[in-house]
Amino acid sequence: MTGADEIDILIPAYNEADRLPATIAAVRRAAPGRVIVVDDGSHDGTAEAARAAGADVVLTHATNRGKGAALNTGLAACCAPILLLIDADLGTTASEVAPLVEAVRAGRCEMAVAAFPRTRRKSGVGLAQGMARRGIERRTGRAFASPLSGQRCLRRADVEALGGFAEGFAVEVALTLGVLGLGRRVEEIPLPLSHRKTGRTLDGFLHRARQAMAIRRALRDVDRRPRT
């Protein structure tokens, strides 16, 4: 493996002490690289679980600041030219992410995004998913099956060209729009991944409402940018 092929694996985590060890072990088998975990203000021992599982770097936030902020904290510790972003709750299915890295290394695209398999179980994410899908397609002409997927491989230089990750609940939408706006190729790859669903509870619905509002703001911000 050359220096140009090296990867940093960036995992933002919030209260994922139970699933994170399996995620770390599985992703190490799939895509050897330096594992950087950012504990975003957890109160269940997530940081300790990450260290015990062999994460190379464990960074912590004193309070929960959101996924985008966690990714930016991790980005500051990254030095490899390729970044693999995965969610902490993939568990053993993290062993399936190798095709994302292979697509970027082979030069097929500059960002590879995992498309999750369709499930019959309703999780309540339809509003946010639909808003993200329609918003991206209307602005770029690209239709994505999993526009909110956090499992992505891309070049660190492109993230830095965008000024880092957008903070808040629309980080994935902003990243897709930003990378496409740079003229980069984005490929969606169906993978047999699974993660914890946001429940159909009051907290779950409030989370999705905040996510939908953040996506609306991210799309509005793109529309306000001057066209060149």
Side-chain angles (χ1 to χ4, degrees), residues 72 75 157-166:
N72 281 322
L75 178 64
D158 286 339
V159 179
E160 292 173 344
L162 295 172
F165 297 99

Side-chain angles (χ1 to χ4, degrees), residues 1-224:
M1 184 186 304
T2 67
D5 291 331
E6 291 179 355
I7 68 170
D8 280 331
I9 302 163
L10 183 51
I11 308 177
Y14 178 62
N15 290 338
E16 292 292 352
D18 57 341
R19 294 177 65 94
L20 182 58
T23 301
I24 292 174
V27 77
R28 279 197 184 282
R29 294 192 298 270
R34 194 170 61 131
V35 175
I36 300 169
V37 174
V38 182
D39 176 5
D40 187 26
S42 301
H43 47 75
D44 70 341
T46 288
E48 292 77 7
R51 295 186 183 98
D56 298 288
V57 178
V58 179
L59 305 171
T60 61
H61 289 168
T63 60
N64 181 250
R65 294 167 49 192
K67 186 176 184 179
L71 287 171
N72 281 322
T73 294
L75 178 64
C78 292
C79 55
I82 298 175
L83 303 180
L84 176 62
L85 315 179
I86 66 168
D87 292 337
D89 61 354
L90 289 182
T92 58
T93 68
S95 63
E96 304 291 343
V97 300
L100 301 178
V101 180
E102 293 164 2
V104 174
R105 281 180 174 160
R108 296 205 319 263
C109 61
E110 284 73 48
M111 183 167 75
V113 182
F116 280 71
R118 291 181 177 273
T119 62
R120 293 183 179 179
R121 178 186 172 190
K122 292 183 178 180
S123 62
V125 298
L127 174 63
Q129 287 271 20
M131 182 182 298
R133 185 178 296 114
R134 291 189 298 273
I136 293 171
E137 185 173 9
R138 186 164 71 84
R139 289 158 179 82
T140 69
R142 292 288 308 276
F144 290 92
S146 297
L148 301 181
S149 172
Q151 327 324 306
R152 297 167 182 245
C153 186
L154 72 166
R155 298 283 175 181
R156 178 165 59 91
D158 286 339
V159 179
E160 292 173 344
L162 295 172
F165 297 99
E167 301 204 357
F169 291 104
V171 58
E172 291 88 4
V173 172
L175 186 58
T176 298
L177 291 170
V179 170
L180 288 173
L182 291 174
R184 308 295 191 251
R185 296 165 297 172
V186 178
E187 179 180 345
E188 201 170 35
I189 302 175
L191 295 177
L193 303 175
S194 66
H195 61 128
R196 195 191 316 274
K197 295 288 187 181
T198 304
R200 296 175 68 83
T201 63
L202 177 59
D203 285 345
F205 285 118
L206 288 174
H207 169 79
R208 288 186 287 273
R210 290 192 293 267
Q211 186 178 39
M213 288 188 291
I215 291 169
R216 185 178 291 112
R217 286 194 297 271
L219 296 172
R220 189 181 302 126
D221 288 345
V222 169
D223 293 339
R224 289 173 177 170

